[in-house]
Amino acid sequence: MSKSLLFIGECMMELRKGNTDNLEYSFAGDAYNSAVYAKRCCAEHQVSFFSARGKDQFSEMMQLRWQSEGIDSSLVEVSEHRVPGIYAIATDSQGERQFSYWRNNSAATEMMMLLEQNGQGDNFPDFDCVFFSGISLGILSDDCKQRLLNLLSRLRKRGAKIAFDPNYRESLWRDKGHARSWILRAYQCCDIAFPGLEEHQVLFAHESLDEVHQCLAEQGVDECVIKAGEAGVFAFSNGIACAHKPFQAALKQVDTTAAGDSFSGTYLAMRLGGSTLDTAIDMGAKVARTVVQHEGAIVNIDV
């Protein structure tokens, strides 16, 4: 069953150390990563990406990469003066990663401004599902955050299911209060959410699954998929606990980059294709276990 999915966010140049200590590059970013894994999971779906890029050679290479993954980039705005953000990955012996970012004033930070300057805000096409994240919000000015939420609300009224992963990154926010305020507003715009128990502990002092679920229910979220670390993944639908996937470790853990992104993208693709919560969670977890066994956010398609 073919469906249309839109992923909103930033794609950056990813740098990581190769076997010879030279830097290798690729292109990645949380919402983009989810788009790639959604398309690879269900190739029959139309998967689109909304962001902004520059006019430089790396932006051109980035767009070619999107096309090679079968992702429609016709909605991506072009900035005359800005270039893509960059991030570097460093991993420890357990595959846990640390990031260094150079993303201030990247082209993607202008996506909402460029969309409205070009008169496309009111002519935005409809989709069956639209995904965004706390990072999609965090890179924008507060004015553009609200513009994004307004766009999502319009799409939702026209029938789109809105999906949101808070994906909290402290460095993108003035303080925890700033993050809490916008993440709650984002929950109020969405139908499906992927909160992490750990980030809710940090932001909201929620210590249990019930507290996280109750918080989202109060914001009107219908489908809640809570990632609870070694306790596994728990799903609630319309207020009822209906699925639990126990944690299953990967055979080896090389790089945890994009583990959550690959899960979310796969889950949404499966759900839109008609799969049950249990099946979507199982497939998302399987893909995430595969991703963490390889370097970088986007694993080779042969894998």
Side-chain angles (χ1 to χ4, degrees):
M1 185 190 308
S2 176
K3 296 288 185 177
S4 57
L5 294 86
L6 174 68
F7 293 81
I8 299 176
E10 181 175 29
C11 188
M12 295 177 286
M13 182 180 293
E14 175 190 87
L15 302 178
R16 62 181 184 275
K17 189 170 70 173
N19 294 331
T20 61
D21 284 343
N22 290 326
L23 285 175
E24 298 178 353
Y25 77 88
S26 185
F27 298 103
D30 72 330
Y32 169 71
N33 302 339
S34 294
V36 169
Y37 290 110
K39 184 64 176 180
R40 290 185 180 184
C41 175
C42 296
E44 68 273 18
H45 291 334
Q46 175 196 328
V47 176
S48 301
F49 186 52
F50 170 52
S51 186
R53 67 171 183 88
K55 300 183 75 172
D56 57 288
Q57 62 176 343
F58 289 108
S59 291
E60 298 289 346
M61 292 162 62
M62 188 164 65
Q63 177 122 4
L64 290 174
R65 182 66 57 83
W66 301 338
Q67 293 171 357
S68 74
E69 292 286 353
I71 294 173
D72 170 51
S73 58
S74 61
L75 292 173
V76 174
E77 298 287 344
V78 178
S79 171
E80 293 290 330
H81 308 292
R82 297 192 179 185
V83 297
I86 301 172
Y87 75 97
I89 305 174
T91 54
D92 62 20
S93 60
Q94 302 301 312
E96 292 300 334
R97 72 268 196 246
Q98 290 184 331
F99 298 109
S100 299
Y101 291 100
W102 298 267
R103 76 191 320 170
N104 288 342
N105 299 316
S106 69
T109 64
E110 290 190 329
M111 60 181 169
M112 292 308 302
M113 189 180 307
L114 291 169
L115 178 73
E116 297 194 6
Q117 284 178 358
N118 294 332
Q120 299 303 310
D122 293 330
N123 300 315
F124 209 84
D126 291 330
F127 292 88
D128 293 308
C129 180
V130 181
F131 173 90
F132 73 117
S133 74
I135 295 177
S136 308
L137 278 177
I139 65 170
L140 302 176
S141 68
D142 283 0
D143 178 61
C144 285
K145 286 180 179 63
Q146 190 58 56
R147 295 185 193 194
L148 174 56
L149 295 183
N150 291 344
L151 171 64
L152 292 164
S153 295
R154 292 197 299 271
L155 293 173
R156 191 184 191 192
K157 288 177 181 177
R158 287 169 13 204
K161 291 284 188 182
I162 307 299
F164 174 67
D165 185 340
N167 213 356
Y168 172 62
R169 297 291 183 270
E170 181 180 3
S171 62
L172 295 178
W173 304 93
R174 290 198 300 267
D175 51 45
K176 289 180 182 177
H178 186 225
R180 277 195 300 270
S181 173
W182 284 104
I183 287 172
L184 286 175
R185 294 186 212 183
Y187 281 146
Q188 292 165 13
C189 289
C190 80
D191 304 282
I192 305 169
F194 300 94
L197 178 58
E198 182 176 347
E199 64 193 345
H200 266 251
Q201 289 171 335
V202 171
L203 283 174
F204 300 100
H206 294 157
E207 298 297 333
S208 69
L209 293 169
D210 285 342
E211 286 181 288
V212 177
H213 171 243
Q214 182 61 34
C215 171
L216 270 67
E218 290 172 356
Q219 310 308 315
V221 180
D222 294 329
E223 189 167 316
C224 175
V225 182
I226 304 175
K227 297 165 286 187
E230 293 187 358
V233 178
F234 297 80
F236 297 79
S237 180
N238 295 315
I240 299 172
C242 53
H244 172 225
K245 175 70 176 178
F247 174 74
Q248 183 179 343
L251 295 176
K252 59 178 179 177
Q253 186 164 289
V254 174
D255 184 350
T256 59
T257 306
D261 307 333
S262 62
F263 174 89
S264 300
T266 302
Y267 178 92
L268 288 174
M270 295 292 292
R271 288 290 283 151
L272 285 177
S275 295
T276 64
L277 281 164
D278 275 322
T279 301
I281 290 173
D282 282 344
M283 184 60 75
K286 180 180 179 180
V287 171
R289 280 198 305 274
T290 301
V291 168
V292 302
Q293 296 181 62
H294 300 272
E295 293 182 345
I298 308 295
V299 302
N300 189 293
I301 196 165
D302 294 336
V303 172

